Amino acid sequence: TIYTKIRNSTYGTTTKPCPVTVRVQPSFFRDTSSSSSSHLDPDLELSESGLRNLSALVRLGNSVEIRNYISLLFSILNRLSLDPESNTHAQRRIRNVLICTACELESSEQV
């Protein structure tokens, strides 16, 4: 169960936490016949969409949601890294961004 609040960016008002039960069944299929498109490479797809979503969360400024998303992406990366055909360059790139984001989040909370 995830508890979510909706925040009005103009007025700063929020709703009460609303419980939502979520069932996630992620799946990535590696298509080895054509690796030119990122949509066929789960590592590149995760890198593109994951970093785009992370940037949006950072702009919203909710550190709990940012940490949860970083944790989710690391879990997915750990699973993808078990595949011998994984794109280690893309995985390294997103891991570096996640670590830097977590460090920046940590240092901004200490101020």
Side-chain angles (χ1 to χ4, degrees), residues 51 54 70 92-103:
L51 295 179
L54 181 63
I70 288 172
R92 246 189 325 272
R93 178 178 170 260
I94 193 169
R95 284 182 194 275
N96 287 339
V97 171
L98 295 176
I99 291 167
C100 288
T101 303
C103 290

Side-chain angles (χ1 to χ4, degrees), residues 24-30 41-51 53 67-83 86-87 90-92 94-95 98:
V24 179
Q25 296 177 327
S27 63
F28 286 106
F29 298 98
R30 193 175 302 282
D41 183 338
D43 306 294
L44 285 176
E45 188 175 342
L46 177 67
S47 181
E48 291 171 4
S49 65
L51 295 179
N53 293 338
R67 277 195 191 89
N68 286 341
Y69 195 68
I70 288 172
S71 176
L72 172 70
L73 290 180
F74 266 117
S75 297
I76 295 169
L77 282 168
N78 289 341
R79 274 194 20 238
L80 286 173
S81 70
L82 300 175
D83 184 347
S86 64
N87 182 334
Q91 288 183 11
R92 246 189 325 272
I94 193 169
R95 284 182 194 275
L98 295 176

